[in-house]
Amino acid sequence: MWLTNETISDSYIFRNVSDSATVTFELTKDSNKVYYIGEDKSATGESDGKFSLEFNVNKRNVQITPVDVEVEYGNDFVSAGVTYGGDGFAEGEQDNFQFKCETVLGENVGDTSEIIATLQSGDESNYNFEYNKGTAIRVARVLKMTFNNRDKVYGDDTLAIGEDNYVITEGSIVGEDDPGLAYVLTKDGETYTDVANLAAGTYTIGATATNTNYTIVVENSGEFTVNPKAVDVTLTSATANYDKGAHPVTATINGLIAGDEGVTATVQYLKDGQPITGEPVYAGIYTAQVTGFSTRNYSVKSFTDDATVTIDKVDVTVTVLPGKTAYGTGGIVPVEEGAYFTSDNEMFNGDDLDPYYIYDDGSADVAERFPGVYA
C-alpha cells in the first residue's frame, strides 16, 4: 500500500508503509512519461515487479499584454514591452522569450490603434500563450522654449513670433511644419492674446500653438514691453475777464489712435513760475505746460511752450455805507446790518470778501474815540 505523495519542487516522495522506504525521483517537462523505480525497463514497457507511475505535465497558460503607449506627433511607434499574466513562466525561463509589438498608428493627434504582440523567439511547446491587445495613441509634440524680450509702440501692428524671437530647448519642429506660434501675455494676473490692442506696460511672455499637433511649454519667459506713443500737443492761449470761473487753455492732441478720441491732456499751470492747483481762476497771467495724459498709452513728444491764460481784473465802483459804534466799544458795524457797501457789479457783491471799516487815519480801533462823525 502507498501513501499520498508529497510535492517538493519538481520531485515527488513516496513512502512504503511496511518498511518506511523513501524513493525520490525527478520529473521531466515531457508529458505522458512513464517512470520506473528499480531497474529501468522502459524500453520494453515492463515493470521490475515493484511499481510504475504515469504523470501528465500540463502546459502553463501565460497571458501576454502589450503596454499602452503614447506616441508624440512626428515620432515612430516604439514598443514599451509586454506584461505577463496567468500562470506566468517557469522559474528562470522568462528571459528565454522575446515578443514583438506592432501597430499602425495615424499621424494626427488623437488617433489611436491596437498594439498586437507576437512571439519573436523562444520554445512555446510547454506554454499556451493568450494574447491581449494594447493601445497606442498619438499625442501632441512638446516644444520647450525660451523667449527673448520684445517691445513695440502702443497702436503699432501685432508682432508675429519669428524664429529669432525664441530658442527651442527641448523637442523639435517636424519637417516644414508651422506650429502657429502666438503670444499669450500676462500682467497682474490677467491674460492677453490681442497683442495689437495692448495698453502700454510690461507683460510676461507666454505662447501657444494654433497647430494642435504641438504643445508649447515656456521654460524661460521674456518680457514684452508696450511703450507709450509719443504725440504732439497744441495749446491755444485763452484770455478772459475775472468772473470766478476757471479759464483753461485749449489742448489739441495730434496723432491719437482711432478710438482714443476721448483721451485728454493733463495741463499744469504756473503763475510767477510757481505751480497752482487746478485751472486759472483769479486775475493774472499764467503759463501752461503738458505733463501727461488721461491714459498711460501716450507720452508727451512736444507741446506749445508759449501758451498763456490771461485773466483781467474787473473795474468795480464801490459805495461805502454808513457805520456806527458806541463809545468805549471796539469795532464799527453797518448802520444797516450787514450792509458795508454797494457796487455796480453784482458778481463782486457775492465774492468772498471780509469788509470792515477804518478811519481816515487808517486806524480801525474805535475804543478810545470820542463821540462824533468820522470819515
Side-chain angles (χ1 to χ4, degrees), residues 34-80:
V34 178
Y35 294 87
Y36 297 92
I37 302 301
E39 182 182 355
D40 183 4
K41 294 186 179 182
S42 59
T44 61
E46 300 176 0
S47 171
D48 62 355
K50 296 183 179 180
F51 65 90
S52 64
L53 298 174
E54 183 176 323
F55 293 88
N56 290 320
V57 180
N58 297 322
K59 293 184 177 182
R60 287 177 176 266
N61 296 313
V62 181
Q63 293 180 353
I64 308 299
T65 304
V67 176
D68 293 342
V69 176
E70 291 184 346
V71 184
E72 275 197 355
Y73 166 75
N75 288 351
D76 294 329
F77 167 77
V78 176
S79 172

Side-chain angles (χ1 to χ4, degrees), residues 230-235 252 254 290 293 299-305:
V231 294
D232 300 314
V233 182
T234 301
L235 299 178
T252 303
N254 306 300
V290 180
F293 300 92
S299 63
V300 179
K301 183 178 181 181
S302 68
F303 61 87
T304 308
D305 59 4

Side-chain angles (χ1 to χ4, degrees), residues 114-132:
E114 293 180 338
I115 303 174
I116 307 298
T118 56
L119 180 64
Q120 190 171 21
S121 64
D123 181 5
E124 61 180 327
S125 59
N126 293 313
Y127 293 90
N128 290 317
F129 292 124
E130 178 184 346
Y131 293 95
N132 297 320

Side-chain angles (χ1 to χ4, degrees), residues 1-161:
M1 180 177 181
W2 296 91
L3 298 180
T4 303
N5 68 70
E6 300 177 32
T7 302
I8 303 177
S9 184
D10 285 338
S11 299
Y12 287 77
I13 301 175
F14 296 86
R15 294 181 175 82
N16 189 296
V17 175
S18 61
D19 57 10
S20 298
T22 300
V23 179
T24 302
F25 56 91
E26 299 291 330
L27 291 178
T28 69
K29 294 297 186 296
D30 298 326
S31 61
N32 302 319
K33 176 73 176 179
V34 178
Y35 294 87
Y36 297 92
I37 302 301
E39 182 182 355
D40 183 4
K41 294 186 179 182
S42 59
T44 61
E46 300 176 0
S47 171
D48 62 355
K50 296 183 179 180
F51 65 90
S52 64
L53 298 174
E54 183 176 323
F55 293 88
N56 290 320
V57 180
N58 297 322
K59 293 184 177 182
R60 287 177 176 266
N61 296 313
V62 181
Q63 293 180 353
I64 308 299
T65 304
V67 176
D68 293 342
V69 176
E70 291 184 346
V71 184
E72 275 197 355
Y73 166 75
N75 288 351
D76 294 329
F77 167 77
V78 176
S79 172
V82 297
T83 60
Y84 306 109
D87 297 332
F89 289 96
E91 184 177 355
E93 290 199 352
Q94 179 174 309
D95 293 342
N96 297 332
F97 293 85
Q98 298 295 324
F99 294 89
K100 182 179 181 179
C101 293
E102 297 177 298
T103 190
V104 178
L105 180 61
E107 292 300 321
N108 296 318
V109 171
D111 288 347
T112 61
S113 62
E114 293 180 338
I115 303 174
I116 307 298
T118 56
L119 180 64
Q120 190 171 21
S121 64
D123 181 5
E124 61 180 327
S125 59
N126 293 313
Y127 293 90
N128 290 317
F129 292 124
E130 178 184 346
Y131 293 95
N132 297 320
K133 296 177 181 179
T135 300
I137 182 170
R138 181 74 67 183
V139 296
R141 191 176 188 85
V142 176
L143 300 179
K144 293 185 177 180
M145 310 178 79
T146 293
F147 285 88
N148 303 325
N149 294 339
R150 296 197 76 180
D151 64 90
K152 59 167 279 188
V153 174
Y154 170 74
D156 283 358
D157 293 338
T158 300
L159 295 178
I161 304 179

